[in-house]
Amino acid sequence: MTPAVFRRYALFYLGYYGTLGAYTPYIGRWVASLGYGGYVVGAMLALWYGSRIFGPPLWSRLTSRSAVPGRWLVIGCLLAALGFSLFAGVANRGPMFAVMAWFGLCFNSVMPQFEAMTLSALGSRSDEYGRIRVWGSIGFLVVAGSYGWLLDRLGEAMFVWLTLPWLLLTIAAAWLHRRDGADSITVAPTTPLDDNQLDSAPVLQRPGMARLLATTLLMQLGFGPFYVFYTLHLQAQGHDGIAVGVLWAVGVLCEIIMFWQAPALVRRFGAQRLIGACLAVTALRWWLVAMAGGSLGWMALAQTSHALSFAVFHAACMRRMAELFPQRRHMVTAQGLLSAISGGTGGVLGAGLAAVAWQHGGGNLAFSAGAIAALAGLSLHLATAARAKALPAS
């Protein structure tokens, strides 16, 4: 991959995750500022994750049948930005949920497509994925670390307007890929995939894929309280906007550093071993957040584990995907399925679990439930790891 091509891919990750740097930490704060409680906040995030179930598989069919799938990337980003802009004019529950569904369907659909494009562009150098993906973490860091302070001063009503510029950057980055052809995501350079290639059954039948999906689903389930209520939990524990932003920034900074080291770690220890280590650390992390949320020092320490909980875990999962589908024949469908099952179903269940726990026991109960989910994922992974090693990778 030449430096110019590297920059094209890195820019999209920068814009996409810069948007998430505003959305993920602060959407709950914005919804709460409208006077809604934990159930509405949870429902908003459940819609967000639910769109991951339906959007990516449908989108993969559109893009995989297109001779120029790069155009669909641009269309998806345009529709996502238009949908998000409508948040500026809604305050009632019904319209807000409708806008959330629109935005989520469009925004969540384009990343599995782009992940497949990135892995195909890397080819046999899939272990270098982290060096591109780190630019998404940089975008998230800049936004998440500063927007708590900005919202303290400008007010929660500015949330939408502060997020839109990052969506526009995503559109501009997608435009650079508008002419990318079918060879950017498939092994056949000009021929669209047939129905057998798009069917998810062969993907699920690949040894190890079902176990990977179940493990990532449980990890995402454990992240539910973090994505939905972490900012509100910190505020309830007495931390101001600056402290909240700093804590988000600490996690993402450690994530960035680890993304640079992830290729070497994956090569040395292997994806399976790293996935297990990440699940164990994540369970400890959520227990610490539940028990010591009022301590800035302990929260900073917990956030450093984001290097493993997110960066290494994500890089190891991408490596495992490359091992399971080395010829990329089913890569688009597999990426869409991974997003739908882990990020989608796991996200919906995680948001629902977090909302119920928050209403009945606040952040302590919510993050304790997250720790239990991560432990369940670790148990599943350990129970199947030996069998997975005995099976062929492809």
Side-chain angles (χ1 to χ4, degrees):
M1 180 179 288
T2 66
V5 174
F6 179 94
R7 287 192 293 270
R8 279 203 301 141
Y9 283 89
L11 185 63
F12 187 86
Y13 283 106
L14 179 71
Y16 188 93
Y17 285 98
T19 302
L20 286 184
Y23 179 87
T24 303
Y26 302 113
I27 182 68
R29 176 174 170 173
W30 177 70
V31 173
S33 74
L34 298 176
Y36 296 111
Y39 283 130
V40 174
V41 175
M44 285 286 286
L45 270 295
L47 282 169
W48 163 257
Y49 289 114
S51 66
R52 291 185 177 181
I53 300 174
F54 304 104
L58 294 174
W59 198 257
S60 69
R61 288 182 175 269
L62 291 172
T63 60
S64 298
R65 287 193 170 100
S66 173
V68 190
R71 293 176 182 171
W72 285 102
L73 184 69
V74 177
I75 292 171
C77 292
L78 281 168
L79 290 174
L82 179 60
F84 190 86
S85 69
L86 297 178
F87 276 128
V90 300
N92 295 327
R93 236 177 285 187
M96 191 165 60
F97 288 160
V99 172
M100 181 73 261
W102 175 354
F103 171 63
L105 281 170
C106 297
F107 197 69
N108 283 321
S109 293
V110 297
M111 183 47 74
Q113 175 193 357
F114 196 76
E115 294 271 52
M117 292 167 65
T118 303
L119 288 174
S120 292
L122 287 170
S124 62
R125 298 177 62 86
S126 60
D127 57 332
E128 296 294 321
Y129 165 84
R131 301 195 187 280
I132 297 177
R133 174 60 180 79
V134 71
W135 287 96
S137 300
I138 291 172
F140 195 102
L141 170 66
V142 170
V143 178
S146 61
Y147 275 33
W149 176 83
L150 284 173
L151 291 174
D152 276 354
R153 279 145 188 79
L154 301 178
E156 280 77 6
M158 288 298 296
F159 165 73
V160 176
W161 303 109
L162 289 170
T163 307
L164 281 173
W166 290 93
L167 282 160
L168 295 178
L169 176 59
T170 304
I171 295 171
W175 183 256
L176 299 177
H177 293 272
R178 67 191 183 280
R179 295 192 178 94
D180 286 8
D183 56 335
S184 65
I185 52 174
T186 68
V187 293
T190 56
T191 305
L193 296 177
D194 58 36
D195 287 337
N196 289 331
Q197 289 173 300
L198 292 168
D199 188 6
S200 62
V203 171
L204 284 172
Q205 291 168 2
R206 184 66 55 92
M209 182 60 177
R211 290 187 295 275
L212 178 63
L213 290 174
T215 301
T216 55
L217 183 149
L218 287 167
M219 176 65 107
Q220 187 66 48
L221 183 66
F223 262 89
F226 180 71
Y227 288 138
V228 180
F229 292 113
Y230 184 62
T231 295
L232 295 178
H233 176 59
L234 293 176
Q235 288 182 315
Q237 295 293 322
H239 302 291
D240 61 13
I242 295 176
V244 171
V246 167
L247 288 170
W248 277 98
V250 166
V252 181
L253 181 60
C254 293
E255 171 191 320
I256 291 171
I257 294 171
M258 189 55 75
F259 262 128
W260 285 105
Q261 301 300 320
L265 290 174
V266 171
R267 285 193 295 267
R268 180 174 179 180
F269 297 105
Q272 295 285 65
R273 190 179 299 176
L274 287 175
I275 288 172
C278 293
L279 286 161
V281 169
T282 302
L284 180 60
R285 175 188 182 182
W286 299 147
W287 178 83
L288 192 58
V289 173
M291 297 297 107
S295 169
L296 185 61
W298 282 115
M299 289 303 91
L301 178 63
Q303 282 295 86
T304 63
S305 68
H306 201 64
L308 290 171
S309 298
F310 185 84
V312 174
F313 185 80
H314 188 66
C317 288
M318 290 299 101
R319 173 68 176 198
R320 186 62 182 147
M321 289 286 286
E323 292 171 353
L324 290 170
F325 306 100
Q327 296 180 338
R328 307 294 191 270
R329 186 186 178 203
H330 299 293
M331 180 58 78
V332 176
T333 301
Q335 286 289 351
L337 194 61
L338 181 67
S339 178
I341 298 299
S342 62
T345 303
V348 171
L349 294 175
L353 173 70
V356 172
W358 179 269
Q359 286 294 120
H360 289 85
N364 292 347
L365 181 59
F367 283 96
S368 295
I372 293 171
L375 283 174
L378 176 62
S379 299
L380 174 65
H381 181 74
L382 293 177
T384 59
R387 181 184 174 189
K389 288 181 180 178
L391 291 172
S394 60

PDB file of all heavy atoms in Angstrom, residues 287-303:
ATOM      1  N   TRP A 287     -15.729  -4.042  36.549  1.00  0.00           N
ATOM      2  CA  TRP A 287     -15.891  -4.156  37.999  1.00  0.00           C
ATOM      3  C   TRP A 287     -15.288  -2.940  38.699  1.00  0.00           C
ATOM      4  O   TRP A 287     -15.870  -2.404  39.647  1.00  0.00           O
ATOM      5  CB  TRP A 287     -15.213  -5.445  38.486  1.00  0.00           C
ATOM      6  CG  TRP A 287     -15.291  -5.611  39.980  1.00  0.00           C
ATOM      7  CD1 TRP A 287     -16.328  -6.112  40.703  1.00  0.00           C
ATOM      8  CD2 TRP A 287     -14.284  -5.236  40.929  1.00  0.00           C
ATOM      9  NE1 TRP A 287     -16.035  -6.085  42.049  1.00  0.00           N
ATOM     10  CE2 TRP A 287     -14.792  -5.550  42.220  1.00  0.00           C
ATOM     11  CE3 TRP A 287     -13.017  -4.673  40.826  1.00  0.00           C
ATOM     12  CZ2 TRP A 287     -14.062  -5.324  43.379  1.00  0.00           C
ATOM     13  CZ3 TRP A 287     -12.284  -4.443  41.979  1.00  0.00           C
ATOM     14  CH2 TRP A 287     -12.805  -4.761  43.236  1.00  0.00           C
ATOM     15  N   LEU A 288     -14.147  -2.463  38.195  1.00  0.00           N
ATOM     16  CA  LEU A 288     -13.506  -1.301  38.794  1.00  0.00           C
ATOM     17  C   LEU A 288     -14.351  -0.039  38.611  1.00  0.00           C
ATOM     18  O   LEU A 288     -14.491   0.775  39.531  1.00  0.00           O
ATOM     19  CB  LEU A 288     -12.115  -1.099  38.176  1.00  0.00           C
ATOM     20  CG  LEU A 288     -11.169  -0.103  38.858  1.00  0.00           C
ATOM     21  CD1 LEU A 288     -10.926  -0.504  40.305  1.00  0.00           C
ATOM     22  CD2 LEU A 288      -9.849  -0.020  38.087  1.00  0.00           C
ATOM     23  N   VAL A 289     -14.942   0.129  37.425  1.00  0.00           N
ATOM     24  CA  VAL A 289     -15.810   1.279  37.174  1.00  0.00           C
ATOM     25  C   VAL A 289     -17.030   1.238  38.098  1.00  0.00           C
ATOM     26  O   VAL A 289     -17.466   2.265  38.623  1.00  0.00           O
ATOM     27  CB  VAL A 289     -16.247   1.326  35.699  1.00  0.00           C
ATOM     28  CG1 VAL A 289     -17.294   2.425  35.479  1.00  0.00           C
ATOM     29  CG2 VAL A 289     -15.047   1.556  34.792  1.00  0.00           C
ATOM     30  N   ALA A 290     -17.558   0.043  38.311  1.00  0.00           N
ATOM     31  CA  ALA A 290     -18.729  -0.095  39.180  1.00  0.00           C
ATOM     32  C   ALA A 290     -18.398   0.245  40.628  1.00  0.00           C
ATOM     33  O   ALA A 290     -19.189   0.894  41.318  1.00  0.00           O
ATOM     34  CB  ALA A 290     -19.279  -1.520  39.092  1.00  0.00           C
ATOM     35  N   MET A 291     -17.235  -0.174  41.098  1.00  0.00           N
ATOM     36  CA  MET A 291     -16.894  -0.051  42.506  1.00  0.00           C
ATOM     37  C   MET A 291     -16.204   1.259  42.875  1.00  0.00           C
ATOM     38  O   MET A 291     -16.257   1.683  44.032  1.00  0.00           O
ATOM     39  CB  MET A 291     -15.994  -1.229  42.924  1.00  0.00           C
ATOM     40  CG  MET A 291     -16.643  -2.593  42.811  1.00  0.00           C
ATOM     41  SD  MET A 291     -18.078  -2.785  43.922  1.00  0.00           S
ATOM     42  CE  MET A 291     -19.432  -2.703  42.732  1.00  0.00           C
ATOM     43  N   ALA A 292     -15.529   1.905  41.926  1.00  0.00           N
ATOM     44  CA  ALA A 292     -14.708   3.078  42.269  1.00  0.00           C
ATOM     45  C   ALA A 292     -14.950   4.244  41.323  1.00  0.00           C
ATOM     46  O   ALA A 292     -14.027   5.000  41.002  1.00  0.00           O
ATOM     47  CB  ALA A 292     -13.219   2.694  42.263  1.00  0.00           C
ATOM     48  N   GLY A 293     -16.206   4.417  40.893  1.00  0.00           N
ATOM     49  CA  GLY A 293     -16.517   5.466  39.931  1.00  0.00           C
ATOM     50  C   GLY A 293     -16.225   6.874  40.408  1.00  0.00           C
ATOM     51  O   GLY A 293     -16.003   7.771  39.597  1.00  0.00           O
ATOM     52  N   GLY A 294     -16.214   7.105  41.699  1.00  0.00           N
ATOM     53  CA  GLY A 294     -15.969   8.446  42.213  1.00  0.00           C
ATOM     54  C   GLY A 294     -14.509   8.836  42.260  1.00  0.00           C
ATOM     55  O   GLY A 294     -14.194  10.014  42.491  1.00  0.00           O
ATOM     56  N   SER A 295     -13.601   7.912  42.040  1.00  0.00           N
ATOM     57  CA  SER A 295     -12.166   8.190  42.101  1.00  0.00           C
ATOM     58  C   SER A 295     -11.616   8.469  40.710  1.00  0.00           C
ATOM     59  O   SER A 295     -11.629   7.588  39.835  1.00  0.00           O
ATOM     60  CB  SER A 295     -11.421   7.004  42.722  1.00  0.00           C
ATOM     61  OG  SER A 295     -10.027   7.138  42.557  1.00  0.00           O
ATOM     62  N   LEU A 296     -11.115   9.674  40.500  1.00  0.00           N
ATOM     63  CA  LEU A 296     -10.551  10.023  39.202  1.00  0.00           C
ATOM     64  C   LEU A 296      -9.336   9.150  38.885  1.00  0.00           C
ATOM     65  O   LEU A 296      -9.149   8.718  37.741  1.00  0.00           O
ATOM     66  CB  LEU A 296     -10.158  11.505  39.188  1.00  0.00           C
ATOM     67  CG  LEU A 296      -9.653  12.061  37.850  1.00  0.00           C
ATOM     68  CD1 LEU A 296     -10.729  11.952  36.781  1.00  0.00           C
ATOM     69  CD2 LEU A 296      -9.214  13.519  38.025  1.00  0.00           C
ATOM     70  N   GLY A 297      -8.523   8.862  39.903  1.00  0.00           N
ATOM     71  CA  GLY A 297      -7.338   8.038  39.695  1.00  0.00           C
ATOM     72  C   GLY A 297      -7.682   6.621  39.259  1.00  0.00           C
ATOM     73  O   GLY A 297      -7.096   6.098  38.304  1.00  0.00           O
ATOM     74  N   TRP A 298      -8.630   5.985  39.969  1.00  0.00           N
ATOM     75  CA  TRP A 298      -9.023   4.635  39.601  1.00  0.00           C
ATOM     76  C   TRP A 298      -9.695   4.600  38.233  1.00  0.00           C
ATOM     77  O   TRP A 298      -9.495   3.648  37.464  1.00  0.00           O
ATOM     78  CB  TRP A 298      -9.951   4.040  40.655  1.00  0.00           C
ATOM     79  CG  TRP A 298      -9.258   3.547  41.879  1.00  0.00           C
ATOM     80  CD1 TRP A 298      -9.377   4.032  43.149  1.00  0.00           C
ATOM     81  CD2 TRP A 298      -8.320   2.459  41.965  1.00  0.00           C
ATOM     82  NE1 TRP A 298      -8.580   3.328  44.028  1.00  0.00           N
ATOM     83  CE2 TRP A 298      -7.913   2.352  43.329  1.00  0.00           C
ATOM     84  CE3 TRP A 298      -7.775   1.573  41.038  1.00  0.00           C
ATOM     85  CZ2 TRP A 298      -7.008   1.393  43.760  1.00  0.00           C
ATOM     86  CZ3 TRP A 298      -6.863   0.613  41.478  1.00  0.00           C
ATOM     87  CH2 TRP A 298      -6.488   0.532  42.814  1.00  0.00           C
ATOM     88  N   MET A 299     -10.460   5.636  37.925  1.00  0.00           N
ATOM     89  CA  MET A 299     -11.108   5.676  36.614  1.00  0.00           C
ATOM     90  C   MET A 299     -10.076   5.845  35.499  1.00  0.00           C
ATOM     91  O   MET A 299     -10.210   5.261  34.411  1.00  0.00           O
ATOM     92  CB  MET A 299     -12.143   6.800  36.558  1.00  0.00           C
ATOM     93  CG  MET A 299     -13.390   6.551  37.401  1.00  0.00           C
ATOM     94  SD  MET A 299     -14.277   5.020  36.997  1.00  0.00           S
ATOM     95  CE  MET A 299     -13.490   3.837  38.119  1.00  0.00           C
ATOM     96  N   ALA A 300      -9.055   6.628  35.756  1.00  0.00           N
ATOM     97  CA  ALA A 300      -7.988   6.777  34.761  1.00  0.00           C
ATOM     98  C   ALA A 300      -7.274   5.446  34.538  1.00  0.00           C
ATOM     99  O   ALA A 300      -6.960   5.069  33.399  1.00  0.00           O
ATOM    100  CB  ALA A 300      -6.995   7.854  35.199  1.00  0.00           C
ATOM    101  N   LEU A 301      -7.028   4.727  35.638  1.00  0.00           N
ATOM    102  CA  LEU A 301      -6.394   3.413  35.520  1.00  0.00           C
ATOM    103  C   LEU A 301      -7.280   2.452  34.733  1.00  0.00           C
ATOM    104  O   LEU A 301      -6.796   1.709  33.860  1.00  0.00           O
ATOM    105  CB  LEU A 301      -6.113   2.847  36.917  1.00  0.00           C
ATOM    106  CG  LEU A 301      -5.477   1.447  36.948  1.00  0.00           C
ATOM    107  CD1 LEU A 301      -4.101   1.463  36.286  1.00  0.00           C
ATOM    108  CD2 LEU A 301      -5.372   0.949  38.389  1.00  0.00           C
ATOM    109  N   ALA A 302      -8.576   2.474  35.028  1.00  0.00           N
ATOM    110  CA  ALA A 302      -9.503   1.599  34.301  1.00  0.00           C
ATOM    111  C   ALA A 302      -9.518   1.930  32.817  1.00  0.00           C
ATOM    112  O   ALA A 302      -9.580   1.035  31.966  1.00  0.00           O
ATOM    113  CB  ALA A 302     -10.912   1.732  34.891  1.00  0.00           C
ATOM    114  N   GLN A 303      -9.433   3.222  32.487  1.00  0.00           N
ATOM    115  CA  GLN A 303      -9.469   3.621  31.088  1.00  0.00           C
ATOM    116  C   GLN A 303      -8.225   3.179  30.311  1.00  0.00           C
ATOM    117  O   GLN A 303      -8.279   2.996  29.099  1.00  0.00           O
ATOM    118  CB  GLN A 303      -9.647   5.139  30.979  1.00  0.00           C
ATOM    119  CG  GLN A 303     -11.071   5.615  31.214  1.00  0.00           C
ATOM    120  CD  GLN A 303     -12.022   5.105  30.151  1.00  0.00           C
ATOM    121  OE1 GLN A 303     -12.554   3.996  30.252  1.00  0.00           O
ATOM    122  NE2 GLN A 303     -12.240   5.898  29.123  1.00  0.00           N
TER     123      GLN A 303
END
